[in-house]
Amino acid sequence: MRSYVLLLLALSIFGTSITAAQHISFNIQWGDDGMDAAQDIIETKEGNMLIAGGLSVRNTTNNYIYNGFLTLADKDGEIIWTKQYGGGMNDVLISVVEYDDAYMATGYTQSYSANGSQDVLLIKTDKNGNELWRKNFGGTGRDEGHHLLKLSDGNLLITGITDSKGAGNLDAWLLKVDTAGNLLWDETFGGTELDDAWDAVEAADGGYIFTGGTWSFATGSLDDGWIVKVDKDGKEQWRQVYGSSEDQDWFWSIEPTNDGNYVLTGVNNYINLDPRPQGLFFIKVNPDGELIWDKSFGLGQGMSGNDIKSTADGNYIIGGYRLTSTRFEFLFIKTNENGDTLWTKGVGDFQTVNHCHAVTATTEGSVIGAGRGGWSQTNNFDIMMVKVSDATSGLADEMHDQVIRQFANHLMIHTPSKGQLRVYNLQGQMLHKEDIPQGKTMFKAPLNSQGLLLVEVTLKNGETVTGKWIPLEN
């Protein structure tokens, strides 16, 4: 006798939702053993993807260090080239921009610090990733660059932090440089505590607005997100602080809107480095940094917004992560211009830790995120790049035909490509795993399995369907 039919994805304990609107075009991971991560991704003029980050390698004494890297991949995720930049200590690239004949990237370097500490790093490469020159900025303390912004006057703005100068522990730092890497001016911002500049945009009056986090000007004893406006010479004009007096709050990204305002995303309610209570910070402010609306959500669900970009259809895409009962998911959220969620897409396998650090909306209408992915049981993470097409294709077409059907004591799996089936009990123990072919596969309940089981089907492109199953006795 046939039992209850479709495994409803909305009930999934795994937390992954799949709708007929989004399709994973690819989910690619690469790297060495160690902790590798992408920090930024942009679409090039040729329609390729350029990724910047840090790659863990072993030095001459067999210890792990980081090399900065740039990777160029085509729109299908095929790697064209990868180049590393480093000198035997820790060097990481965090932000990258494109020129007609070159790329420029910022981050930090220990290998090339003039004082044996850590400096802001700025490098220029040709279009094949070959290093043309590098410059570093800093003193005797910890200095690092977080974001590189191309300016309308042909120069560049670097945001970051410094404890080589300024008023306190770590201060926010802005540096304006020309395209030859010559310093035009620099300014620090903050008080006696830790203050950071992360993302930045150019304002309509020729000044700049940066965002990040501040302890010095927070409403309580923990940090708040802040927005700071400076003039074209880097002199502070105003600052606005957002957050609660009882927890940590931070803005990671800011994006100008079509109506002359700004949207920001980040993390709120981050308590004692515990991600579980936190939510995703998402607000819109006017040109003076005053709140227009607050659409923050996911409080208590372990979510963070790490990057936000405008899409060609006038909406926004947020990249970040969320914590489910079994994993950290690589997270995409698309909203309309009013901040209302249009769709959400989480990517990850059982007991994985996946974070999207940067996102780009491509000219063809898809979304590509870059970050890191790995297993929670190990300390190894790989570079992770995921492309989501905002159109019906692949597995989404199969949803109406019921990818997973439940019968009395067996499942019918119907997939458009090869994949893998995994079955778990509620304690997280894997009871069964097998590769499945394209088409229909019959699967019988594992012996001695009782009660609720969790079923996960992952396709070749990384897309996952999950659900619940209670096998019935014959």
Side-chain angles (χ1 to χ4, degrees), residues 19 215 225 371 397 432 448:
T19 74
W215 253 283
D397 293 333
H432 183 81
N448 301 321

Side-chain angles (χ1 to χ4, degrees), residues 201-220:
V201 294
E202 194 166 6
D205 63 358
Y208 315 109
I209 297 175
F210 73 83
T211 189
T214 177
W215 253 283
S216 299
F217 304 112
T219 55

Side-chain angles (χ1 to χ4, degrees), residues 1 10 27 71 81 84 101 105 127 145 155 162 199 202 210 215 238 246 256 310 338 356 363 374 381 397 447 463:
M1 178 179 177
N27 175 5
T71 294
W81 53 255
Q84 296 185 38
D101 60 349
K127 279 303 190 79
N155 297 305
T162 177
D199 201 5
E202 194 166 6
F210 73 83
W215 253 283
W238 54 255
E246 300 177 353
S310 299
N338 298 315
C356 179
T363 53
F381 294 94
D397 293 333
L447 292 175
E463 195 163 15

Side-chain angles (χ1 to χ4, degrees), residues 113-127:
S113 173
N115 299 287
S117 53
Q118 178 175 293
D119 288 353
V120 172
L121 175 65
L122 179 68
I123 69 167
K124 182 177 181 179
T125 76
D126 64 20
K127 279 303 190 79

Side-chain angles (χ1 to χ4, degrees), residues 316-335:
Y316 308 111
I317 189 72
I318 298 173
Y321 65 81
R322 68 179 172 192
L323 177 63
T324 74
S325 61
T326 60
R327 61 187 169 216
F328 277 98
E329 288 187 329
F330 200 97
L331 181 64
F332 298 101
I333 302 169
K334 188 172 184 179
T335 78

Side-chain angles (χ1 to χ4, degrees), residues 17-59:
S17 61
I18 294 178
T19 74
Q22 301 83 48
H23 167 67
I24 297 179
S25 300
F26 62 70
N27 175 5
I28 301 170
Q29 297 186 38
W30 72 95
D32 210 337
D33 55 342
M35 300 180 68
D36 309 316
Q39 300 293 343
D40 197 14
I41 183 170
I42 63 171
E43 184 181 22
T44 68
K45 296 175 181 178
E46 298 80 17
N48 296 315
M49 298 298 123
L50 186 67
I51 305 104
L55 187 67
S56 58
V57 297
R58 292 187 182 272
N59 62 11

Side-chain angles (χ1 to χ4, degrees), residues 140-168:
T140 57
R142 173 190 170 193
D143 311 295
E144 60 186 55
H146 291 160
H147 183 71
L148 192 58
L149 177 67
K150 290 174 65 176
L151 304 176
S152 59
D153 62 6
N155 297 305
L156 295 133
L157 186 72
I158 303 172
T159 70
I161 55 172
T162 177
D163 70 354
S164 297
K165 53 169 55 178

